[in-house]
Amino acid sequence: KQEVTQIPAALSVPEGENLVLNCSFTDSAIYNLQWFRQDPGKGLTSLLLIQSSQREQTSGRLNASLDKSSGRSTLYIAASQPGDSATYLCAVRTSGTYKYIFGTGTRLKVLA
Amino acid sequence: AAGVIQSPRHLIKEKRETATLKCYPIPRHDTVYWYQQGPGQDPQFLISFYEKMQSDKGSIPDRFSAQQFSDYHSELNMSSLELGDSALYFCASSLVGEQFFGPGTRLTVL
């Protein structure tokens, strides 16, 4: 059974810092992994999707890497801004399934 | 660009009542997912449909059922509602992997 955990659970940093958020999964036979951000009481916004065959994906100040053998993905946020404050969630789809298991999220606060 | 549409956005029901949530996926997307998110929790997968056929099932109570129709919209039917069913219900659609989420339906059971 796939289990997904994220550390840290919460993070508070000054504006301008570079950040690394971690996502770990127990079953390395994944189809893909997706990172989302969620603002309080709102829906989920897709940030990056990494297919099983890929090692990393980049979009603007965001970079996500995938290491299947170690069961880990990291989301790197460069030059953080107060507008980046949100909860960041990773979701893993195991091969042979049509379901995503979400991590517990990292609640990020970027201070101006 | 078209997004996932969910209706209603807010719903208030009494215990033991029935609720129907609707989801309209992005055009040409072939997969629909339903999730339940309780307060302060991560989204929990309920059920998915690929090309109108149920493709996977998660921790969906027997009181809940869902289907996808010929026009690809999907409905989540919830019966005998309990206080613990109060949550945000999200629908997401995808084509070749990347999920796009709707704004959610906030269900409150009194």
Side-chain angles (χ1 to χ4, degrees), chain B residues 32-85:
Chain B
V32 166
Y33 306 85
W34 284 97
Y35 295 89
Q36 177 192 61
Q37 187 176 31
Q41 297 181 358
D42 51 283
Q44 296 293 311
F45 171 79
L46 294 176
I47 195 166
S48 62
F49 294 89
Y50 171 69
E51 284 292 344
K52 294 167 278 185
M53 299 285 290
Q54 182 183 308
S55 52
D56 218 325
K57 207 168 178 180
S59 48
I60 182 169
D62 292 341
R63 300 178 288 108
F64 294 8
S65 64
Q67 57 182 321
Q68 188 176 26
F69 295 86
S70 58
D71 65 351
Y72 287 86
H73 94 272
S74 179
E75 294 184 2
L76 178 66
N77 297 291
M78 310 158 70
S79 62
S80 303
L81 287 169
E82 301 173 357
L83 296 178
D85 295 329

Side-chain angles (χ1 to χ4, degrees), chain B residues 3-4 23-27 29-33 91-95 97-102:
Chain B
V4 176
C23 169
Y24 298 85
I26 293 171
H29 278 197
D30 56 14
T31 308
V32 166
Y33 306 85
C91 168
S93 72
S94 74
L95 179 67
E98 186 173 7
Q99 294 180 94
F100 293 90
F101 275 68

Side-chain angles (χ1 to χ4, degrees), chain A residues 13-107:
Chain A
V13 299
E15 182 177 7
E17 277 208 3
N18 300 323
L19 310 169
V20 175
L21 309 182
N22 296 291
C23 171
S24 298
F25 46 93
T26 55
D27 186 347
S28 61
I30 69 169
Y31 181 77
N32 61 33
L33 183 148
Q34 195 168 358
W35 282 93
F36 297 89
R37 70 170 278 168
Q38 185 175 32
D39 294 287
K42 305 287 187 184
L44 282 77
T45 301
S46 176
L47 298 174
L48 290 164
L49 171 74
I50 308 180
Q51 300 287 2
S52 173
S53 58
Q54 297 175 319
R55 294 298 301 269
E56 66 178 321
Q57 282 283 359
T58 299
S59 175
R61 295 182 295 109
L62 305 179
N63 175 278
S65 66
L66 175 64
D67 183 346
K68 285 192 302 180
S69 61
S70 66
R72 237 191 307 178
S73 176
T74 59
L75 179 67
Y76 176 82
I77 303 175
S80 58
Q81 304 170 356
D84 295 331
S85 298
T87 296
Y88 289 79
L89 294 152
C90 68
V92 176
R93 178 176 161 185
T94 307
S95 295
T97 74
Y98 276 87
K99 65 179 174 184
Y100 283 83
I101 305 300
F102 276 81
T104 44
T106 293
R107 203 166 52 252

